[in-house]
Amino acid sequence: MAAAQGRLSDGTGGTDDANGEDREGGGAAPAPFRAAVDALRTARLRPQIEIEPTPAPRRLAPYAYALEATVVDGDQDLADGRLVLLHDPAGHDAWRGTFRLVTLVRAELEQEMAVDPLLPEVCWSWLTGALQARGLTYGEPSGTVTRASSHHFGGLSERPASSQIEIRASWTPREGRGSVPDTAAHLASWCDLLAQVAGLPPAGPGDASVVTLPQRRGPQSR
């Protein structure tokens, strides 16, 4: 499975601009943004998730930092996604805050699961449930759950039909001491979502209420 790209929930692809902490050439990025980025860089994650920085969008906010992650099992990819941290020191009316997290997560499914009418609601509950399970407070959540099927013809007719689920979402993390949100905890919650989409078992106790998705497609070779 290729690394996640495409448009994020706030309306940008954003893979053509490098991460940067000085957006306007006027000096270093604000201290709250630097602290939030440092927390993302030092977060400890479960070993099945490979994560690295990736180019971030510039058009959504004065400051942005992005990560790309893949859930792996040996040499096979199970799911992937992107998480973007946005910061506008002046605040943003739609965010109701100065920070915003934006994500795209995707995985392949069995076709019969892709037509399940409850699938979108279940996938959205994975995101909100992952945040709530870690006791995180957030506001203004928004997003879409998209399912798509591909059927192959002509020279590609031997390929089996495939179905994919995509979750695009954004939310405002509540700011704590020093006007900095707990981005490390939000990253961990996002990785919980990735693991759930990939079909990995829960990382720890207390996850009995999480709805699992059966009949996932087989892992994709890397």
Side-chain angles (χ1 to χ4, degrees):
M1 182 180 293
Q5 295 183 9
R7 302 188 71 81
L8 300 171
S9 69
D10 280 19
T12 183
T15 60
D16 55 346
D17 295 318
N19 281 347
E21 297 184 1
D22 179 5
R23 289 299 184 202
E24 299 175 359
F33 178 73
R34 297 199 307 272
V37 169
D38 287 344
L40 290 176
R41 290 170 173 165
T42 58
R44 298 181 61 185
L45 307 173
R46 58 191 298 174
Q48 299 95 332
I49 297 178
E50 296 181 354
I51 193 164
E52 62 183 2
T54 191
R58 292 192 179 191
R59 294 178 295 277
L60 295 181
Y63 302 94
Y65 182 80
L67 295 169
E68 187 173 83
T70 304
V71 183
V72 298
D73 180 14
D75 62 350
Q76 297 174 319
D77 295 352
L78 303 178
D80 61 25
R82 295 178 66 226
L83 183 69
V84 180
L85 174 68
L86 304 175
H87 179 54
D88 187 342
H92 195 293
D93 290 342
W95 303 353
R96 297 185 180 273
T98 63
F99 285 91
R100 188 76 170 170
L101 286 163
V102 186
T103 187
L104 164 66
V105 171
R106 66 181 188 176
E108 294 197 16
L109 308 171
E110 292 291 350
Q111 281 189 286
E112 50 266 38
M113 282 306 303
V115 299
D116 187 332
L118 297 179
L119 180 65
E121 288 79 6
V122 169
C123 290
W124 184 254
S125 75
W126 289 345
L127 170 62
T128 58
L131 294 168
Q132 293 166 5
R134 292 184 180 270
L136 295 171
T137 56
Y138 61 96
E140 310 305 317
S142 65
T144 61
V145 177
T146 304
R147 46 189 170 185
S149 298
S150 298
H151 300 266
H152 308 283
F153 301 94
L156 301 177
S157 60
E158 293 184 358
R159 294 186 181 181
S162 60
S163 297
Q164 187 177 80
I165 191 75
E166 288 188 350
I167 303 171
R168 296 180 177 88
S170 62
W171 65 95
T172 298
R174 292 305 182 212
E175 298 169 13
R177 181 177 301 179
S179 299
V180 181
D182 188 351
T183 51
H186 281 271
L187 174 59
S189 293
W190 180 70
C191 288
D192 292 341
L193 169 65
L194 269 174
Q196 187 72 26
V197 171
L200 296 182
D207 297 307
S209 63
V210 175
V211 180
T212 57
L213 185 65
Q215 298 181 337
R216 251 173 219 87
R217 286 190 67 84
Q220 304 298 301
S221 296
R222 304 187 74 180

